Amino acid sequence: MPATKTFEYQTVDRDGKHAKGLLEAPNEAAAIQQLRQQGLVPVSITEGGSLLRREITVPGFGSRTTLKDLAVFARQFATMTASGMTLLRSLSVLEDQAAKPSLKKAISEVRADIEGGMSLSAALGKHPKVFPTLMVAMVRAGETGGFLDGALERIAITMEKDANLRGKIKGAMTYPVIVLIFTGVLVAGVLAFIVPVFEGMFKQFGGELPLPTQILVTGSRNLAWAGPLFVAMVAGLSIAFRRQLRHNPSLRLSFDRLKLRLPVFGKLFAKIAISRFARNFGTLLGVGVPVMQALDVVGATTGNAVITEAMKDLQIAVRDGLPMSAQLGKHPIFPRMVAQMIEVGEESGQISQMLDKVADFYDREVDTAADSLTAAIEPLMVIVMGVVVGGMVLCLYLPMFTIYQNIQG
C-alpha cells in the first residue's frame, strides 16, 4: 500500500458553501479525486498544511494585486467553471477568497457587470490595473471558442511562469542593491560620527586641511540637511523619469535600446524580453486569439519598446501575406534560432508549440544568466565598497602627514 500524505484543502459545493479541512491521500491527484467524489469542487489543495502558500504581509503594504494573486485567481476560476459552476457563483466564491482589497473590489464589480448583461472579458477589461491586457484577450478568446476553463488554466500557467521569471531577476538584483544601501548607510555613519571627532582633533593641532579632507568635513557639517535633500532629489528624478518613459514613446524606445547594449545586464534584459515575447505570443495563439490581435497584445505586454516596434513590423508582414519568421530575422534583438523555430512552426502549423519551446529555452537561459550575473557582481560590489570606505579613510588620514611635519619642525 503506498504511503499517504496529509493535504489541507478548501472546497465549495454547488450551492456555494465553503468547507476546509485535512485528508490523507497518496498524492494530490488522488486527494482531488476524493473531494470530487463527495460532490465538492476543490478551490485549493496543498500538501503539508501551507494552504495557498500565503505570504505574511504587513498591514498597509503589499495591497497591490500581484502575478501570484492572478495565477491563483485564474486557477481557482478554471477549476470551478470546469466543474459546472456558473460564472456568478464562481465569482462570488472568488470574491470571498480574495485577500487583496484591490482584487476583491475588482471581482465584485466584475460580478455586478456580468449580472447587468456584460461579457466576462468586457467586465475584466474595465479594470486594467488589476487584470492585464493579456488576460483579457485570452478570456475573450475562451468565451468565443467555448473553452473558458482551458483559457483560464493557460492564464494561470502563464502568470506563474512570469512571476517566477520576475522572482529570478529580483533575486539577482538583491545583492547589489543591499551592498549599495549598506555602503550609503556606512558613508552616512562615518560622516555623522567619525568625521566630527577627527575635525576636533585637526583644530587642536592647527594647520590647513587638504582639499579631500575639507570636502569630507564640509559634507559632515551639512549632512543633516544635504542628506535628506539628496535622497529627495534622487527619488523625485526617478519618479519624473518613469513618468516620462510612460508618456514619451521615443524616449522609452531609446532607453530600452540602451538597456540592451549594457555590458553586463544587456544580454539578461534581451533574454527576459524574448522569453516574455515567446510565452505570451504562444499562449495567445494557443487559445485561438487571431494573429494580428495577438501581436498587438504581445507588443503591449513584453515590457520592452524594442519588442513593441518589432511587433508592428510583424503586423505589416502578416497583413501583406509574408511569413513572420523572415521579418523577425531583420530585428537584431531576436537571435537566428528564434526566427528558425518560428519558421519551422509556420511550415508545420505548430507555431504555438514552437513558441512555448522557445520560451522554455530562454527561461533556462535567464536562470543561467542570473546566476552568472550574481557571481560577476559580487566581487565588483566588494571593490566599490572598498574604494568608497578606503577613500574616506585616506581623506581622514591625509592631514596626519601635515601635523607630523609641523611637530617635527
Side-chain angles (χ1 to χ4, degrees):
M1 182 177 179
T4 60
K5 302 175 183 178
T6 301
F7 292 90
E8 186 174 4
Y9 65 84
Q10 281 190 353
T11 62
V12 62
D13 60 19
R14 294 187 181 277
D15 295 327
K17 295 181 180 179
H18 299 273
K20 61 181 178 179
L22 301 173
L23 61 81
E24 299 287 334
N27 50 52
E28 184 175 331
I32 293 174
Q33 186 64 27
Q34 287 184 33
L35 294 171
R36 286 179 174 170
Q37 288 175 353
Q38 299 173 28
L40 301 174
V41 178
V43 174
S44 65
I45 183 164
T46 309
E47 182 183 347
S50 56
L51 188 60
L52 289 180
R53 293 183 176 91
R54 288 178 179 169
E55 299 177 354
I56 298 174
T57 56
V58 179
F61 293 89
S63 59
R64 189 172 64 89
T65 304
T66 65
L67 285 172
K68 288 184 179 179
D69 298 324
L70 292 175
V72 172
F73 166 80
R75 195 169 292 284
Q76 292 177 343
F77 203 177
T79 301
M80 285 184 279
T81 53
S83 300
M85 292 181 64
T86 64
L87 284 181
L88 292 176
R89 176 65 69 184
S90 300
L91 288 169
S92 177
V93 173
L94 290 168
E95 183 184 350
D96 293 338
Q97 294 285 329
K100 298 291 180 67
S102 58
L103 182 59
K104 184 183 286 288
K105 180 182 177 183
I107 295 173
S108 175
E109 293 177 4
V110 166
R111 186 163 58 88
D113 288 336
I114 291 176
E115 286 179 338
M118 189 176 292
S119 67
L120 176 60
S121 57
L124 294 175
K126 292 177 63 177
H127 306 275
K129 292 184 178 180
V130 178
F131 304 111
T133 306
L134 178 70
M135 185 176 185
V136 175
M138 292 177 68
V139 168
R140 184 179 295 113
E143 287 177 321
T144 304
F147 50 89
L148 180 59
D149 54 336
L152 289 168
E153 187 69 24
R154 289 290 296 265
I155 289 170
I157 294 171
T158 302
M159 297 292 177
E160 287 167 352
K161 291 186 175 181
D162 199 7
N164 290 336
L165 186 65
R166 294 189 183 188
K168 292 167 190 173
I169 306 310
K170 288 181 180 178
M173 298 301 297
T174 297
Y175 179 80
V177 169
I178 290 176
V179 171
L180 289 175
I181 292 174
F182 180 75
T183 302
V185 171
L186 186 61
V187 169
V190 170
L191 292 175
F193 302 106
I194 297 179
V195 173
V197 175
F198 276 79
E199 183 184 5
M201 184 175 64
F202 297 153
K203 285 182 179 179
Q204 290 179 1
F205 287 99
E208 186 176 350
L209 296 178
L211 179 60
T213 308
Q214 186 61 54
I215 293 174
L216 206 61
V217 170
T218 303
S220 175
R221 290 173 180 171
N222 299 299
L223 181 64
W225 66 269
L229 178 62
F230 175 77
V231 173
M233 285 180 61
V234 170
L237 289 174
S238 177
I239 293 172
F241 183 68
R242 289 185 178 184
R243 287 180 177 175
Q244 283 296 316
L245 286 180
R246 285 198 299 266
H247 299 99
N248 190 331
S250 60
L251 177 63
R252 178 62 185 268
L253 180 60
S254 300
F255 180 69
D256 284 346
R257 283 175 176 165
L258 178 63
K259 283 167 55 178
L260 297 175
R261 295 193 185 103
L262 292 177
V264 179
F265 296 91
K267 290 184 178 179
L268 179 61
F269 290 142
K271 290 173 181 177
I272 293 169
I274 294 171
S275 174
R276 284 180 177 164
F277 152 76
R279 179 78 59 199
N280 294 348
F281 195 21
T283 300
L284 288 167
L285 294 180
V287 298
V289 177
V291 175
M292 294 295 288
Q293 183 183 346
L295 288 170
D296 192 42
V297 173
V298 169
T301 56
T302 54
N304 191 293
V306 178
I307 299 285
T308 303
E309 288 296 305
M311 294 305 99
K312 292 178 182 178
D313 288 347
L314 286 186
Q315 285 181 314
I316 295 173
V318 171
R319 191 179 297 117
D320 294 340
L322 301 174
M324 289 186 293
S325 54
Q327 191 67 24
L328 203 67
K330 297 179 181 179
H331 294 270
I333 188 175
F334 296 105
R336 184 173 177 80
M337 184 271 287
V338 176
Q340 289 175 339
M341 292 283 283
I342 292 179
E343 183 178 3
V344 172
E346 288 175 325
E347 293 176 353
S348 62
Q350 295 182 334
I351 188 170
S352 176
Q353 293 87 331
M354 286 298 177
L355 286 166
D356 287 342
K357 292 181 185 298
V358 171
D360 291 337
F361 173 81
Y362 275 96
D363 281 349
R364 293 191 294 270
E365 286 287 296
V366 169
D367 276 342
T368 304
D371 293 338
S372 300
L373 179 64
T374 303
I377 283 180
E378 284 181 3
L380 182 62
M381 290 293 101
V382 171
I383 292 173
V384 169
M385 190 173 178
V387 169
V388 172
V389 175
M392 295 183 72
V393 171
L394 182 62
C395 290
L396 289 176
Y397 277 91
L398 277 176
M400 296 297 184
F401 299 105
T402 304
I403 293 171
Y404 178 75
Q405 290 174 358
N406 293 336
I407 293 175
Q408 290 292 325

